[in-house]
PDB file of all heavy atoms in Angstrom:
ATOM      1  N   GLN Q1219      23.961 -16.694   1.735  1.00 87.00           N
ATOM      2  CA  GLN Q1219      24.092 -15.292   1.308  1.00 87.00           C
ATOM      3  C   GLN Q1219      23.993 -15.175  -0.215  1.00 87.00           C
ATOM      4  O   GLN Q1219      23.264 -14.332  -0.751  1.00 87.00           O
ATOM      5  CB  GLN Q1219      25.429 -14.732   1.794  1.00 87.00           C
ATOM      6  CG  GLN Q1219      25.608 -13.249   1.560  1.00 87.00           C
ATOM      7  CD  GLN Q1219      24.738 -12.415   2.475  1.00 87.00           C
ATOM      8  OE1 GLN Q1219      24.644 -12.696   3.656  1.00 87.00           O
ATOM      9  NE2 GLN Q1219      24.087 -11.406   1.929  1.00 87.00           N
ATOM     10  N   ALA Q1220      24.718 -16.040  -0.895  1.00 88.00           N
ATOM     11  CA  ALA Q1220      24.699 -15.983  -2.359  1.00 88.00           C
ATOM     12  C   ALA Q1220      23.321 -16.336  -2.897  1.00 88.00           C
ATOM     13  O   ALA Q1220      22.833 -15.708  -3.856  1.00 88.00           O
ATOM     14  CB  ALA Q1220      25.749 -16.943  -2.917  1.00 88.00           C
ATOM     15  N   TYR Q1221      22.692 -17.321  -2.269  1.00 89.00           N
ATOM     16  CA  TYR Q1221      21.357 -17.707  -2.736  1.00 89.00           C
ATOM     17  C   TYR Q1221      20.365 -16.571  -2.526  1.00 89.00           C
ATOM     18  O   TYR Q1221      19.560 -16.252  -3.398  1.00 89.00           O
ATOM     19  CB  TYR Q1221      20.903 -18.963  -1.990  1.00 89.00           C
ATOM     20  CG  TYR Q1221      19.564 -19.488  -2.454  1.00 89.00           C
ATOM     21  CD1 TYR Q1221      19.460 -20.273  -3.589  1.00 89.00           C
ATOM     22  CD2 TYR Q1221      18.393 -19.174  -1.760  1.00 89.00           C
ATOM     23  CE1 TYR Q1221      18.236 -20.739  -4.026  1.00 89.00           C
ATOM     24  CE2 TYR Q1221      17.164 -19.644  -2.183  1.00 89.00           C
ATOM     25  CZ  TYR Q1221      17.090 -20.428  -3.322  1.00 89.00           C
ATOM     26  OH  TYR Q1221      15.876 -20.877  -3.745  1.00 89.00           O
ATOM     27  N   ALA Q1222      20.432 -15.968  -1.345  1.00 90.00           N
ATOM     28  CA  ALA Q1222      19.514 -14.852  -1.067  1.00 90.00           C
ATOM     29  C   ALA Q1222      19.747 -13.708  -2.056  1.00 90.00           C
ATOM     30  O   ALA Q1222      18.790 -13.097  -2.545  1.00 90.00           O
ATOM     31  CB  ALA Q1222      19.713 -14.363   0.365  1.00 90.00           C
ATOM     32  N   ARG Q1223      20.988 -13.432  -2.354  1.00 90.00           N
ATOM     33  CA  ARG Q1223      21.290 -12.345  -3.290  1.00 90.00           C
ATOM     34  C   ARG Q1223      20.747 -12.667  -4.682  1.00 90.00           C
ATOM     35  O   ARG Q1223      20.204 -11.809  -5.368  1.00 90.00           O
ATOM     36  CB  ARG Q1223      22.803 -12.145  -3.334  1.00 90.00           C
ATOM     37  CG  ARG Q1223      23.225 -10.848  -3.966  1.00 90.00           C
ATOM     38  CD  ARG Q1223      24.722 -10.751  -4.057  1.00 90.00           C
ATOM     39  NE  ARG Q1223      25.375 -10.704  -2.761  1.00 90.00           N
ATOM     40  CZ  ARG Q1223      26.353 -11.518  -2.381  1.00 90.00           C
ATOM     41  NH1 ARG Q1223      26.788 -12.458  -3.193  1.00 90.00           N
ATOM     42  NH2 ARG Q1223      26.906 -11.393  -1.203  1.00 90.00           N
ATOM     43  N   LYS Q1224      20.888 -13.911  -5.057  1.00 90.00           N
ATOM     44  CA  LYS Q1224      20.401 -14.314  -6.380  1.00 90.00           C
ATOM     45  C   LYS Q1224      18.870 -14.207  -6.453  1.00 90.00           C
ATOM     46  O   LYS Q1224      18.314 -13.700  -7.427  1.00 90.00           O
ATOM     47  CB  LYS Q1224      20.838 -15.758  -6.671  1.00 90.00           C
ATOM     48  CG  LYS Q1224      20.574 -16.234  -8.090  1.00 90.00           C
ATOM     49  CD  LYS Q1224      21.111 -17.652  -8.251  1.00 90.00           C
ATOM     50  CE  LYS Q1224      20.815 -18.216  -9.626  1.00 90.00           C
ATOM     51  NZ  LYS Q1224      21.661 -17.683 -10.679  1.00 90.00           N
ATOM     52  N   VAL Q1225      18.219 -14.688  -5.403  1.00 90.00           N
ATOM     53  CA  VAL Q1225      16.755 -14.582  -5.366  1.00 90.00           C
ATOM     54  C   VAL Q1225      16.330 -13.116  -5.425  1.00 90.00           C
ATOM     55  O   VAL Q1225      15.411 -12.732  -6.145  1.00 90.00           O
ATOM     56  CB  VAL Q1225      16.193 -15.254  -4.095  1.00 90.00           C
ATOM     57  CG1 VAL Q1225      14.713 -14.943  -3.925  1.00 90.00           C
ATOM     58  CG2 VAL Q1225      16.408 -16.755  -4.153  1.00 90.00           C
ATOM     59  N   LEU Q1226      17.034 -12.309  -4.658  1.00 91.00           N
ATOM     60  CA  LEU Q1226      16.680 -10.893  -4.600  1.00 91.00           C
ATOM     61  C   LEU Q1226      16.835 -10.215  -5.960  1.00 91.00           C
ATOM     62  O   LEU Q1226      15.963  -9.449  -6.392  1.00 91.00           O
ATOM     63  CB  LEU Q1226      17.549 -10.187  -3.555  1.00 91.00           C
ATOM     64  CG  LEU Q1226      17.264  -8.703  -3.335  1.00 91.00           C
ATOM     65  CD1 LEU Q1226      15.846  -8.503  -2.818  1.00 91.00           C
ATOM     66  CD2 LEU Q1226      18.264  -8.103  -2.349  1.00 91.00           C
ATOM     67  N   THR Q1227      17.911 -10.481  -6.639  1.00 89.00           N
ATOM     68  CA  THR Q1227      18.094  -9.846  -7.947  1.00 89.00           C
ATOM     69  C   THR Q1227      17.048 -10.338  -8.944  1.00 89.00           C
ATOM     70  O   THR Q1227      16.563  -9.568  -9.774  1.00 89.00           O
ATOM     71  CB  THR Q1227      19.506 -10.121  -8.491  1.00 89.00           C
ATOM     72  OG1 THR Q1227      19.781 -11.517  -8.423  1.00 89.00           O
ATOM     73  CG2 THR Q1227      20.553  -9.370  -7.704  1.00 89.00           C
ATOM     74  N   ASN Q1228      16.696 -11.606  -8.850  1.00 88.00           N
ATOM     75  CA  ASN Q1228      15.633 -12.112  -9.731  1.00 88.00           C
ATOM     76  C   ASN Q1228      14.305 -11.441  -9.425  1.00 88.00           C
ATOM     77  O   ASN Q1228      13.551 -11.086 -10.334  1.00 88.00           O
ATOM     78  CB  ASN Q1228      15.494 -13.632  -9.585  1.00 88.00           C
ATOM     79  CG  ASN Q1228      16.635 -14.377 -10.237  1.00 88.00           C
ATOM     80  OD1 ASN Q1228      17.299 -13.841 -11.135  1.00 88.00           O
ATOM     81  ND2 ASN Q1228      16.899 -15.587  -9.794  1.00 88.00           N
ATOM     82  N   LEU Q1229      14.023 -11.302  -8.138  1.00 86.00           N
ATOM     83  CA  LEU Q1229      12.765 -10.647  -7.764  1.00 86.00           C
ATOM     84  C   LEU Q1229      12.754  -9.189  -8.209  1.00 86.00           C
ATOM     85  O   LEU Q1229      11.721  -8.664  -8.637  1.00 86.00           O
ATOM     86  CB  LEU Q1229      12.560 -10.733  -6.249  1.00 86.00           C
ATOM     87  CG  LEU Q1229      12.208 -12.111  -5.686  1.00 86.00           C
ATOM     88  CD1 LEU Q1229      12.231 -12.073  -4.165  1.00 86.00           C
ATOM     89  CD2 LEU Q1229      10.833 -12.547  -6.174  1.00 86.00           C
ATOM     90  N   ALA Q1230      13.902  -8.542  -8.081  1.00 85.00           N
ATOM     91  CA  ALA Q1230      13.964  -7.147  -8.519  1.00 85.00           C
ATOM     92  C   ALA Q1230      13.734  -7.042 -10.013  1.00 85.00           C
ATOM     93  O   ALA Q1230      13.053  -6.123 -10.499  1.00 85.00           O
ATOM     94  CB  ALA Q1230      15.318  -6.546  -8.138  1.00 85.00           C
ATOM     95  N   ALA Q1231      14.284  -7.992 -10.767  1.00 82.00           N
ATOM     96  CA  ALA Q1231      14.044  -7.989 -12.212  1.00 82.00           C
ATOM     97  C   ALA Q1231      12.567  -8.205 -12.504  1.00 82.00           C
ATOM     98  O   ALA Q1231      11.986  -7.550 -13.389  1.00 82.00           O
ATOM     99  CB  ALA Q1231      14.883  -9.079 -12.877  1.00 82.00           C
ATOM    100  N   SER Q1232      11.945  -9.092 -11.738  1.00 77.00           N
ATOM    101  CA  SER Q1232      10.502  -9.315 -11.921  1.00 77.00           C
ATOM    102  C   SER Q1232       9.721  -8.056 -11.596  1.00 77.00           C
ATOM    103  O   SER Q1232       8.726  -7.733 -12.241  1.00 77.00           O
ATOM    104  CB  SER Q1232      10.023 -10.449 -11.015  1.00 77.00           C
ATOM    105  OG  SER Q1232      10.706 -11.629 -11.300  1.00 77.00           O
ATOM    106  N   PHE Q1233      10.198  -7.363 -10.569  1.00 71.00           N
ATOM    107  CA  PHE Q1233       9.532  -6.116 -10.187  1.00 71.00           C
ATOM    108  C   PHE Q1233       9.543  -5.134 -11.353  1.00 71.00           C
ATOM    109  O   PHE Q1233       8.534  -4.506 -11.668  1.00 71.00           O
ATOM    110  CB  PHE Q1233      10.250  -5.519  -8.973  1.00 71.00           C
ATOM    111  CG  PHE Q1233       9.975  -4.060  -8.750  1.00 71.00           C
ATOM    112  CD1 PHE Q1233       8.780  -3.646  -8.213  1.00 71.00           C
ATOM    113  CD2 PHE Q1233      10.928  -3.106  -9.086  1.00 71.00           C
ATOM    114  CE1 PHE Q1233       8.531  -2.305  -8.013  1.00 71.00           C
ATOM    115  CE2 PHE Q1233      10.690  -1.767  -8.892  1.00 71.00           C
ATOM    116  CZ  PHE Q1233       9.483  -1.357  -8.356  1.00 71.00           C
ATOM    117  N   TRP Q1234      10.674  -5.018 -11.997  1.00 64.00           N
ATOM    118  CA  TRP Q1234      10.750  -4.073 -13.120  1.00 64.00           C
ATOM    119  C   TRP Q1234       9.898  -4.534 -14.284  1.00 64.00           C
ATOM    120  O   TRP Q1234       9.233  -3.727 -14.932  1.00 64.00           O
ATOM    121  CB  TRP Q1234      12.211  -3.907 -13.562  1.00 64.00           C
ATOM    122  CG  TRP Q1234      12.943  -2.991 -12.657  1.00 64.00           C
ATOM    123  CD1 TRP Q1234      13.900  -3.321 -11.736  1.00 64.00           C
ATOM    124  CD2 TRP Q1234      12.761  -1.576 -12.539  1.00 64.00           C
ATOM    125  NE1 TRP Q1234      14.316  -2.209 -11.066  1.00 64.00           N
ATOM    126  CE2 TRP Q1234      13.648  -1.119 -11.537  1.00 64.00           C
ATOM    127  CE3 TRP Q1234      11.937  -0.654 -13.184  1.00 64.00           C
ATOM    128  CZ2 TRP Q1234      13.726   0.208 -11.169  1.00 64.00           C
ATOM    129  CZ3 TRP Q1234      12.028   0.671 -12.810  1.00 64.00           C
ATOM    130  CH2 TRP Q1234      12.907   1.085 -11.828  1.00 64.00           C
ATOM    131  N   ARG Q1235       9.901  -5.828 -14.559  1.00 64.00           N
ATOM    132  CA  ARG Q1235       9.058  -6.320 -15.656  1.00 64.00           C
ATOM    133  C   ARG Q1235       7.592  -6.051 -15.363  1.00 64.00           C
ATOM    134  O   ARG Q1235       6.823  -5.642 -16.227  1.00 64.00           O
ATOM    135  CB  ARG Q1235       9.277  -7.828 -15.839  1.00 64.00           C
ATOM    136  CG  ARG Q1235      10.534  -8.163 -16.635  1.00 64.00           C
ATOM    137  CD  ARG Q1235      10.464  -9.597 -17.125  1.00 64.00           C
ATOM    138  NE  ARG Q1235      10.478 -10.556 -16.036  1.00 64.00           N
ATOM    139  CZ  ARG Q1235      11.586 -11.040 -15.489  1.00 64.00           C
ATOM    140  NH1 ARG Q1235      12.751 -10.653 -15.927  1.00 64.00           N
ATOM    141  NH2 ARG Q1235      11.521 -11.914 -14.506  1.00 64.00           N
TER     142      ARG Q1235
END
Side-chain angles (χ1 to χ4, degrees):
Chain Q
Q1219 187 72 44
Y1221 183 81
R1223 195 184 295 127
K1224 188 178 177 76
V1225 170
L1226 182 62
T1227 50
N1228 287 338
L1229 288 172
S1232 301
F1233 161 76
W1234 281 108
R1235 280 197 295 273

